[in-house]
Amino acid sequence: MNHTTFIQYTVDYENRWQAVTRDPDYSPEGKRRQYQRLLDEKGSMRGGVVASLAATWKAIRAEYSANKKRRAAAEEAEAARWDFQRLNYEAQAARSAVTASTDLDKFEVQYNQAAQSGNLHRARAWAEVGAAALAEKWPNSMEAERLARKMETDLQALTTTPELEAIDKAGAALTERAMDAEQYAKSAADFYGNSGGDVTEFYQNGGAVVTFHHAYNPTTGDLGYYALTVEEEAKP
């Protein structure tokens, strides 16, 4: 079962429940027996739903861990492209230019010259240093904010690789899956009577503990806001 088939089942279940409620041919005892059959069926489905959710989250967690390892390796490979002594030298020049500058427009001309120089170390150093330095030099300037955003964009372009882009794309897709799995769990919690879709309670009652973790962060490689765990509860 997955989220889609579970939702289809809950809709069908509700329709059958309402059909019993509306059927004038059932006696009170007949309705009670039909309701009990539906409740028994619902209870028998619960273990399969929990197992499905646990398997889904375990797969997401494994893929998340693998993607994070790929990111670390790709970042290491990207860093190896740079001579950090040269970067430091160019960064000192960029800082000096910011310190000496009294005219933002003239500084932007200097930045554009560095960015278009063909010297990737110079272009990276100016973009890296400039974005932070501009906020200190011209803290209330909208033009400085605009230029700082341009520098951040330029820096991203200089320091990314096709492999890193592919990893980020995979991370975003994984986020979508995690968000769908979270909704699946909340739907299941609602269906089985946990107030407000209390997913933690649902999982604890079902023999597994899950905390949600989504919204992939391409900067850190983390999947998001929470610590993603899928753990089977200890059996007595």
Side-chain angles (χ1 to χ4, degrees):
M1 183 172 289
N2 57 35
H3 189 196
T4 300
T5 55
F6 177 76
I7 292 299
Q8 290 170 346
Y9 172 75
T10 62
V11 170
D12 175 69
Y13 182 91
E14 180 63 22
N15 288 339
R16 287 185 288 147
W17 186 281
Q18 292 301 323
V20 172
T21 301
R22 292 191 299 266
D23 194 330
D25 294 333
Y26 279 122
S27 66
E29 177 59 22
K31 285 191 176 185
R32 186 196 67 77
R33 286 197 300 269
Q34 292 300 318
Y35 288 145
Q36 189 59 52
R37 288 192 185 98
L38 287 169
L39 290 171
D40 290 346
E41 176 189 296
K42 178 179 179 178
S44 71
M45 296 282 291
R46 183 188 175 104
V49 171
V50 171
S52 167
L53 283 163
T56 297
W57 278 109
K58 285 177 181 178
I60 289 172
R61 186 183 185 188
E63 291 181 41
Y64 155 69
S65 297
N67 205 49
K68 190 169 184 179
K69 288 179 181 178
R70 285 194 295 269
R71 164 163 277 280
E75 286 178 339
E76 185 176 344
E78 194 283 327
R81 299 189 303 147
W82 301 95
D83 181 331
F84 285 92
Q85 286 187 336
R86 288 181 63 189
L87 276 176
N88 186 55
Y89 171 79
E90 295 291 353
Q92 290 176 1
R95 289 190 192 93
S96 297
V98 175
T99 301
S101 181
T102 57
D103 185 307
L104 181 58
D105 290 337
K106 290 181 179 179
F107 175 76
E108 183 170 6
V109 170
Q110 288 179 286
Y111 171 71
N112 287 334
Q113 289 173 343
Q116 298 164 17
S117 66
N119 183 330
L120 294 181
H121 287 80
R122 181 174 303 160
R124 173 177 171 172
W126 277 69
E128 208 159 27
V129 169
L134 283 175
E136 297 180 8
K137 186 76 174 183
W138 291 282
N140 300 312
S141 169
M142 293 182 64
E143 283 300 304
E145 288 182 14
R146 176 193 60 77
L147 180 55
R149 287 194 297 272
K150 180 181 185 302
M151 289 175 166
E152 289 168 355
T153 300
D154 291 347
L155 178 62
Q156 177 66 21
L158 285 164
T159 56
T160 195
T161 64
E163 185 176 4
L164 283 168
E165 289 177 352
I167 289 167
D168 289 345
K169 186 176 180 180
L174 193 56
T175 294
E176 294 296 323
R177 286 177 54 198
M179 293 174 72
D180 180 72
E182 179 177 7
Q183 290 305 312
Y184 178 13
K186 287 181 177 178
S187 298
D190 285 335
F191 185 63
Y192 283 101
N194 297 96
S195 176
D198 186 339
V199 178
T200 300
E201 180 184 350
F202 171 70
Y203 265 99
Q204 288 173 340
N205 290 344
V209 178
V210 173
T211 53
F212 296 116
H213 185 160
H214 57 78
Y216 180 71
N217 184 335
T219 301
T220 63
D222 287 335
L223 196 57
Y225 299 122
Y226 309 102
L228 172 61
T229 58
V230 182
E231 301 171 357
E232 296 299 323
E233 286 190 323
K235 300 296 189 293

